[in-house]
Amino acid sequence: MPYDKDTIYIIGDAQVSVNNPITQQFNAFFIGLVVDTTNHKIIDAGCSSTIPLTSEFVRTIFIGHHMLHFDQVAEEIRRRYHGSSQKALIVAYKDAQKKYKLALNGREVSGYLPSGTV
């Protein structure tokens, strides 16, 4: 899938429990998100997983959501994803959201003002 010039790629990461197969394979849990900066919508997603179906399913959770609306996405993860990495997925999303806000580099966006602005 080709991505528009207004998209950016963000990685979020989180630690997972020692007995999780993802830890044995990757040492951490990662999500990758492609975000359209014109409307802050997530247009593609993937994650580190040991089963391809997991990454495909996680895509369906993220695609179409607004990158700056943490609570809505976290709630959907809690409702739909019942794998052992559920908490790691939420933490990785929060990390990705933090990196996204930094990537915006002070641009004013709807519903969000960078820290330090009044």
Side-chain angles (χ1 to χ4, degrees):
M1 166 186 245
Y3 299 109
D4 186 274
K5 63 179 175 54
D6 291 320
T7 59
I8 62 173
Y9 181 69
I10 301 289
I11 293 281
D13 61 271
Q15 296 301 311
V16 287
S17 63
V18 175
N19 62 345
N20 189 313
I22 291 172
T23 300
Q24 295 168 4
Q25 188 170 355
F26 301 109
N27 293 323
F29 184 83
F30 300 94
I31 59 169
L33 302 171
V34 178
V35 183
D36 183 336
T37 59
T38 64
N39 60 15
H40 314 293
K41 294 285 183 182
I42 300 168
I43 61 166
D44 207 351
C47 71
S48 54
S49 65
T50 56
I51 302 169
L53 180 60
T54 301
S55 190
E56 292 171 28
F57 186 80
V58 166
R59 284 184 81 237
T60 70
I61 291 174
F62 285 98
I63 291 175
H65 277 284
H66 194 283
M67 187 65 190
L68 300 174
H69 296 170
F70 176 79
D71 291 338
Q72 290 175 334
V73 177
E75 181 55 36
E76 185 158 348
I77 293 168
R78 286 185 199 98
R79 185 176 62 80
R80 296 183 61 204
Y81 184 89
H82 297 280
S84 59
S85 302
Q86 183 188 70
K87 287 181 184 178
L89 184 57
I90 293 169
V91 171
Y93 175 64
K94 188 167 191 77
D95 183 55
Q97 186 184 56
K98 177 181 154 186
K99 291 173 182 172
Y100 180 70
K101 289 175 182 178
L102 289 172
L104 292 176
N105 198 22
R107 284 191 273 167
E108 185 178 323
V109 294
S110 177
Y112 167 73
L113 290 175
S115 54
T117 29
V118 181

